[in-house]
């Protein structure tokens, strides 16, 4: 199976290089790297946040803060300069009702679906059949969210706030690093108060077959986002491709999605007209799936389970719909809004985190109604 994965990756990379140029091929390679990192480090946002809410364990959240801090150390000075191998822009969005509602729905959806945006892609690529259902529903929810965009655009909102643009790089970096440190320390204090000192023994590490330490996953994803900014001039995102993947078939079937307000900006209209392979985010997403597939074959853990209990399947579909809809109205997902937003010094990233954590709390309590326990059953670890 590894041979199939290797041939697929090489074939797509060569084809992209010949048909679309070196940039698309390079981005595909970055996506493959992301898939390997996510799979081998078992880096799931959904499970980390659930562990914090249900067990008081914050290791996953702390490594996410490390990831944010390291990425911000590069992002903020670069965004302040405005150029890095060309013009750059951050992931900045308004602070409003749509962000709160969308992130809250996304938080619930993470727990029902069993994964976030990146988690859905890498677990599906790693052979998790249930997560394919989540992915299909994720795409459908994204399209519905795009259709409803005019309603959410009219809800109350404050203007976008980029700390680096408003206060400069040093105050923006100081705030971001202080906030990340404070959250990490608070999670550690809460964990020790609830569970005592950790007696968890370190697990054996195999860099070829995994598992990798979570810290390695955090640093790896920081490199992925930094590489994306260097190549494309904008931070890493995932879910905008899902809207495109869902809208193109509808357009082919005669549904006039091109008339929707969501598709009126020229860049989006051009993406809808062009090949999916011309879309940066789509190419990277395919890379994540194939990278995880390759990692799973090397680790000899590719063993799809075709039988999915109906309650679990129902949770997968409902969770996927909430993930897609929430990401679309909240200006992104755990990668585009949370990771890239905070690293860009945008306050909407912190608002997204607070609302998604509230949604995670509710979603964790709902899981047992679908036969899902506190473990990472059926989703991203």
């Amino acid at each position: 199976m590894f041979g199939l994965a290797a041939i697929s990756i090489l074939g797509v990379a060569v084809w992209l290089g010949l048909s679309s140029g070196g940039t698309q091929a390079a981005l595909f390679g970055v996506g493959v790297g992301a898939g390997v990192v996510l799979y081998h480090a078992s880096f799931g946002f959904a499970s980390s946040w659930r562990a914090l809410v249900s067990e008081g364990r914050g290791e996953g959240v702390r490594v996410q803060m490390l990831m944010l801090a390291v990425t911000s150390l590069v992002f903020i000075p670069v965004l302040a300069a405005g150029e890095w191998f060309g013009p750059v822009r951050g992931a900045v969005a308004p602070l409003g009702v749509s962000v709160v509602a969308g992130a809250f729905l996304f938080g619930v959806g993470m727990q029902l679906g069993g994964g976030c945006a990146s988690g859905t892609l890498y677990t599906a690529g790693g052979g998790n059949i249930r997560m394919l259902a989540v992915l299909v529903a994720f795409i459908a929810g994204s399209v519905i969210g795009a259709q409803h965009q005019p309603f959410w655009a009219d809800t109350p909102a404050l203007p976008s706030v980029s700390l680096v643009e408003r206060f400069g790089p040093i105050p923006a970096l100081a705030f971001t690093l202080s906030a990340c440190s404070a959250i990490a320390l608070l999670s550690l204090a809460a964990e020790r108060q609830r569970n005592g000192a950790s007696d968890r023994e370190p697990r054996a590490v195999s860099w070829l077959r995994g598992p990798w330490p979570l810290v390695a996953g955090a640093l790896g994803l920081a490199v992925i986002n930094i590489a994306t900014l260097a190549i494309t001039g904008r931070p890493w995102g995932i879910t905008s491709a899902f809207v495109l993947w869902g809208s193109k078939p509808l357009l082919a079937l005669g549904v006039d999605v091109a008339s929707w307000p969501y598709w009126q900006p020229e860049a989006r209209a051009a993406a809808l007209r062009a090949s999916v392979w011309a879309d940066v985010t789509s190419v990277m997403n395919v890379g994540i799936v194939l990278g995880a597939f390759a990692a799973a074959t090397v680790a000899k853990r590719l063993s799809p389970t075709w039988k999915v209990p109906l309650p679990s399947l129902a949770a997968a579909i409902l969770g996927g719909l909430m993930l897609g809809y929430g990401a679309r109205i909240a200006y992104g997902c755990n990668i585009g809004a949370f990771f890239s937003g905070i690293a860009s010094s945008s306050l909407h990233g912190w608002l997204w985190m607070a609302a998604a954590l509230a949604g995670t709390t509710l979603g964790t309590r709902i899981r047992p109604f679908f036969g899902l326990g506190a473990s990472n059953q059926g989703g991203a670890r």
Side-chain angles (χ1 to χ4, degrees):
M1 292 298 287
F2 175 73
L4 175 61
I7 291 172
S8 300
I9 290 171
L10 181 61
V12 172
V14 170
W15 179 75
L16 281 172
L18 294 174
S19 63
S20 302
T23 298
Q24 291 296 85
L27 287 168
F28 172 72
V30 172
V32 170
V36 172
V37 170
L38 286 162
Y39 187 87
H40 277 328
S42 297
F43 204 95
F45 291 76
S47 58
S48 296
W49 289 24
R50 184 167 65 252
L52 179 68
V53 168
S54 63
E55 304 170 28
R57 299 196 179 277
E59 180 188 11
V61 172
R62 289 192 291 277
V63 296
Q64 289 172 24
M65 293 303 108
L66 172 65
M67 176 188 72
L68 291 170
V70 171
T71 309
S72 298
L73 285 169
V74 177
F75 266 45
I76 289 177
V78 167
L79 292 173
E83 282 193 48
W84 196 28
F85 308 108
V88 293
R89 59 180 175 85
V92 182
L95 301 106
V97 171
S98 64
V99 173
V100 174
F104 181 84
L105 285 173
F106 194 94
V108 177
M110 279 200 301
Q111 301 312 321
L112 296 183
C116 52
S118 52
T120 297
L121 288 175
Y122 94 76
T123 47
N128 191 313
I129 301 302
R130 180 182 183 275
M131 296 307 286
L132 290 176
V134 175
L135 179 57
V136 172
F138 206 140
I139 293 169
S142 298
V143 174
I144 298 169
Q147 186 181 29
H148 292 176
Q149 188 199 40
F151 169 81
W152 292 104
D154 289 338
T155 56
L158 297 174
S160 305
V161 178
S162 166
L163 297 178
V164 69
E165 292 179 3
R166 183 162 296 192
F167 301 107
I170 295 178
L173 193 55
F175 173 86
T176 303
L177 296 180
S178 298
C180 290
S181 299
I183 291 172
L185 291 173
L186 284 171
S187 76
L188 183 60
E191 179 176 300
R192 287 179 174 175
Q193 183 178 18
R194 182 168 174 180
N195 300 292
S198 175
D199 58 356
R200 185 180 305 172
E201 296 183 2
R203 58 184 179 177
V205 174
S206 169
W207 294 105
L208 179 62
R209 296 186 176 180
W212 293 356
L214 283 175
V215 169
L219 296 177
L221 293 187
V223 171
I224 295 299
N225 211 342
I226 291 167
T228 303
L229 181 68
I231 296 172
T232 68
R234 62 174 178 79
W236 185 18
I238 287 180
T239 57
S240 64
F242 294 165
V243 191
L244 185 64
W245 296 357
S247 295
K248 276 187 167 291
L250 291 178
L251 189 65
L253 291 172
V255 180
D256 189 17
V257 296
S259 66
W260 295 357
Y262 176 86
W263 292 109
Q264 295 315 299
E266 180 51 37
R268 289 177 181 170
L272 188 62
R273 293 191 299 266
S275 164
V276 168
W277 294 104
D279 178 57
V280 166
T281 308
S282 295
V283 166
M284 291 188 68
N285 285 358
V286 173
I288 291 173
V289 173
L290 290 179
F293 176 51
T297 60
V298 170
K300 297 182 179 179
R301 294 203 300 263
L302 188 69
S303 54
T305 300
W306 296 96
K307 186 176 180 180
V308 180
L310 284 178
S312 179
L313 181 60
I317 295 171
L318 179 59
L321 289 169
M322 297 176 80
L323 286 164
Y325 193 92
R328 202 67 275 124
I329 68 174
Y331 302 102
C333 60
N334 58 297
I335 298 297
F338 171 57
F339 183 11
S340 294
I342 289 177
S344 299
S345 81
S346 176
L347 288 187
H348 93 283
W350 293 108
L351 179 62
W352 191 99
M353 179 184 181
L357 189 58
T360 289
T361 303
L362 176 60
T364 299
R365 293 176 179 175
I366 294 175
R367 282 172 60 89
F369 292 100
F370 294 90
L372 304 174
S375 68
N376 299 306
Q377 178 183 349
R381 289 162 288 179

